[in-house]
Every structure is written in structure tokens, then in C-alpha cells.
């Protein structure tokens, strides 16, 4: 089986650069599994984990939106923010989830900033999900 060259970049710089035999990402249209030789595509990403499989191992990266570009043997992800599972501060992520849940409850009662609170909650849960994969 071939190898994909994978790059995950945010406005703050590179998060991952390496090889994978398969990349699994959740796009706005659904989950995609990318193997070497995949047809070229560009897809908007949802707030979710990107899974990188290589040599029987799997690495998870919490990606918070952005785009994925696939071009044959390359997968480039341009993300709003992203964190590798080993870089996630779980205490901070749990605190962010609690704040977001509190804001969401408050927003629903006041009917303001509900979307902002929901996105903050999705990001916090995504980071926790990636961390707990270990």
C-alpha cells in the first residue's frame, strides 16, 4: 500500500507533518477515508478528530474547522485550530467544556449567543475526545 504525505497547518503554524497510510476526517458532507491515489478534492471540515493511520498505529488530531485538500499522494489540512492528542491539556479542556455548557444553558434561557456557545462546546468536547483516545 502507498503512503500519503500529510500536513496539518493552522494560522499559528504547522501542527503535523508526516506520513500516513490512511487519513479519516469528518467533512460537512460526512466522514471520508482517504487512501493513497484518492481522487483530488477539497472539502470543508467539521469540528472533529482527524485520524491518521500508519504502521498499525493511529494518531488523533483535534481539528476545529477548516478545509482538507487531497491531491493524489498528499493530504493538506488548513485548520482554524488543531491540537495533537499528546499536546491537549485535559484539565483546561474539561474547564472549557464546563464553561461552554454553562454559557449554552444561559444562552438558551436568554436566547442570545446560542450558536457561539454551541461551537465553544463542540471544540471543548472534540479536544477531550482526542485526548481520551490514548
Amino acid at each position: 500500500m502507498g503512503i500519503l504525505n500529510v500536513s496539518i497547518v493552522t494560522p499559528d503554524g504547522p501542527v503535523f507533518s508526516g506520513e500516513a497510510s490512511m487519513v479519516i476526517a469528518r467533512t460537512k458532507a460526512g466522514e471520508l477515508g482517504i487512501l493513497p491515489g484518492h481522487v483530488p478534492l477539497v472539502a470543508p471540515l467539521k469540528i472533529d478528530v482527524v485520524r491518521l493511520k500508519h504502521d498499525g498505529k493511529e494518531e488523533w488530531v483535534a481539528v476545529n474547522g477548516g478545509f482538507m485538500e487531497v491531491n493524489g499522494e498528499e493530504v493538506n489540512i488548513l485548520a482554524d485550530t488543531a491540537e495533537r492528542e499528546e499536546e491537549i491539556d485535559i484539565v483546561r479542556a474539561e474547564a472549557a467544556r464546563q464553561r461552554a455548557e454553562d454559557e449554552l444553558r444561559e444562552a438558551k434561557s436568554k436566547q442570545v449567543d446560542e450558536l457561539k456557545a454551541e461551537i465553544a462546546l463542540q471544540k471543548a468536547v472534540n479536544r477531550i475526545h482526542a485526548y481520551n483516545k490514548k
Side-chain angles (χ1 to χ4, degrees):
M1 182 182 274
I3 295 295
L4 295 164
N5 293 311
V6 181
S7 173
I8 300 176
V9 180
T10 70
D12 294 329
V15 174
F16 178 89
S17 181
E19 296 180 336
S21 55
M22 183 176 192
V23 176
I24 301 167
R26 189 166 312 277
T27 71
K28 303 271 179 167
E31 189 170 73
L32 288 178
I34 308 298
L35 295 169
H38 196 284
V39 297
L41 71 85
V42 174
L45 296 173
K46 292 185 86 169
I47 296 171
D48 207 337
V49 172
V50 171
R51 298 175 3 218
L52 308 165
K53 294 186 176 195
H54 192 55
D55 291 333
K57 298 176 186 164
E58 190 171 277
E59 181 170 351
W60 288 23
V61 180
V63 173
N64 295 318
F67 290 88
M68 175 174 62
E69 173 199 30
V70 178
N71 190 1
E73 309 305 311
E74 288 187 4
V75 176
N76 298 303
I77 294 175
L78 307 170
D80 299 336
T81 62
E83 289 179 274
R84 294 171 81 157
E85 60 189 280
E86 65 269 10
E87 297 170 349
I88 294 171
D89 179 342
I90 191 64
V91 173
R92 197 175 118 233
E94 290 282 2
R97 180 180 70 178
Q98 187 61 52
R99 275 192 314 275
E101 287 173 344
D102 293 344
E103 288 175 12
L104 188 55
R105 273 192 297 277
E106 185 177 322
K108 284 184 177 182
S109 68
K110 293 182 179 178
Q111 297 179 344
V112 294
D113 292 331
E114 188 173 342
L115 181 59
K116 180 181 171 186
E118 285 177 1
I119 291 170
L121 178 58
Q122 286 176 359
K123 288 179 179 181
V125 169
N126 186 40
R127 293 174 66 228
I128 293 164
H129 183 212
Y131 178 86
N132 286 334
K133 176 262 175 193
K134 290 193 233 180

